[in-house]
Amino acid sequence: MREIKREIEVLQYLYSQVLMEKDTYSFIIKKYNKTEDENENKFDIEFLEIIENAINEFKKFLISIKEMLKNRDVDKKQDDLLFRVATYFTIDIEKNTESEVAKHLVHGSQVVLNHYIEKLESEEISSKTIQNLSNRFIDFENKNIKSLSKFIEK
C-alpha cells in the first residue's frame, strides 16, 4: 500500500511539473504568434521548432501520466495555477531576446529535472512503468536543455 502511495505521489508531482513546462512553452508560442509582425525574424525557425516539438512531447508525457494515475484509481492532482501564471510573467516576448528566452527555458528545465530526480530517489519507486517513464522524461529534458542551450549567447 505504501508503494502505491509513493507511486501516486511521484506521478502527481511529475504531472504538475510537465504541465507547467508545457504551459510555459505554449505561452511563448502563443505570445510570439500574437505579435508576429513586430517579432519578424526575432526568433530562429529552429528555435521555434524546438519549442513546438517540446510541447508535443510534454503532451505525450501528460497522457501517459494520466493513464498511469487512472490505473491506480486516482485523478490527476490539481496543479498550482498561481505558480504557473507567475512563470508567464518572467517571459516578455516583446523585450526578451531569443537568448534570454532560451536561458529562461533551460533554467526552468534544469530545476524541474533536478527536483524530479531528487523526488524519484527519495521515493525509491520499483514500478518498471514509472521507471521507464522517468527515464524517458530525464532523457527528453537533457536533450531539450542541450538543444535550447545552442541559442544562449555566451
Side-chain angles (χ1 to χ4, degrees):
M1 189 63 140
R2 173 76 180 126
E3 175 69 18
I4 292 173
K5 186 176 179 183
R6 289 194 319 255
E7 290 175 1
I8 292 168
E9 197 173 303
V10 165
L11 289 169
Q12 288 177 327
Y13 181 81
L14 182 58
Y15 184 89
S16 67
Q17 298 304 302
V18 171
L19 182 62
M20 179 187 64
E21 284 195 282
K22 181 198 70 78
D23 286 353
T24 300
Y25 283 57
S26 297
F27 173 79
I28 291 168
I29 293 295
K30 185 177 180 179
K31 285 288 277 187
Y32 185 82
N33 289 339
K34 190 176 182 181
T35 58
E36 195 168 6
D37 295 337
E38 299 142 32
N39 291 322
E40 195 168 329
N41 299 323
K42 183 174 181 175
F43 291 164
D44 186 285
I45 191 74
E46 183 185 356
F47 180 70
L48 295 171
E49 286 174 355
I50 290 169
I51 293 174
E52 289 281 1
N53 289 337
I55 292 168
N56 291 330
E57 288 302 311
F58 290 136
K59 287 177 182 177
K60 291 176 191 174
F61 281 113
L62 291 171
I63 290 168
S64 294
I65 297 165
K66 281 184 196 176
E67 190 62 33
M68 287 182 188
L69 285 169
K70 185 179 172 186
N71 290 341
R72 289 163 178 80
D73 294 323
V74 176
D75 284 331
K76 67 177 178 51
K77 180 180 167 186
Q78 291 299 318
D79 51 292
D80 189 347
L81 182 61
L82 181 60
F83 181 74
R84 288 172 44 212
V85 170
T87 303
Y88 304 154
F89 292 116
T90 62
I91 304 171
D92 187 346
I93 296 300
E94 289 86 17
K95 294 180 183 168
N96 290 155
T97 64
E98 181 178 85
S99 177
E100 291 167 328
V101 172
K103 204 177 296 184
H104 175 84
L105 295 175
V106 165
H107 174 74
S109 290
Q110 288 170 330
V111 169
V112 165
L113 185 57
N114 291 338
H115 287 171
Y116 183 65
I117 290 170
E118 286 173 16
K119 179 82 168 165
L120 206 53
E121 289 171 352
S122 71
E123 296 297 338
E124 299 177 7
I125 301 298
S126 61
S127 164
K128 293 295 181 201
T129 56
I130 294 176
Q131 287 176 358
N132 289 339
L133 175 73
S134 297
N135 289 337
R136 278 189 16 239
F137 178 71
I138 291 166
D139 288 346
F140 165 73
E141 283 286 31
N142 283 322
K143 288 175 186 168
N144 194 43
I145 289 167
K146 187 176 180 180
S147 295
L148 289 170
S149 293
K150 293 188 286 186
F151 296 93
I152 299 175
E153 295 173 4
K154 304 293 181 210

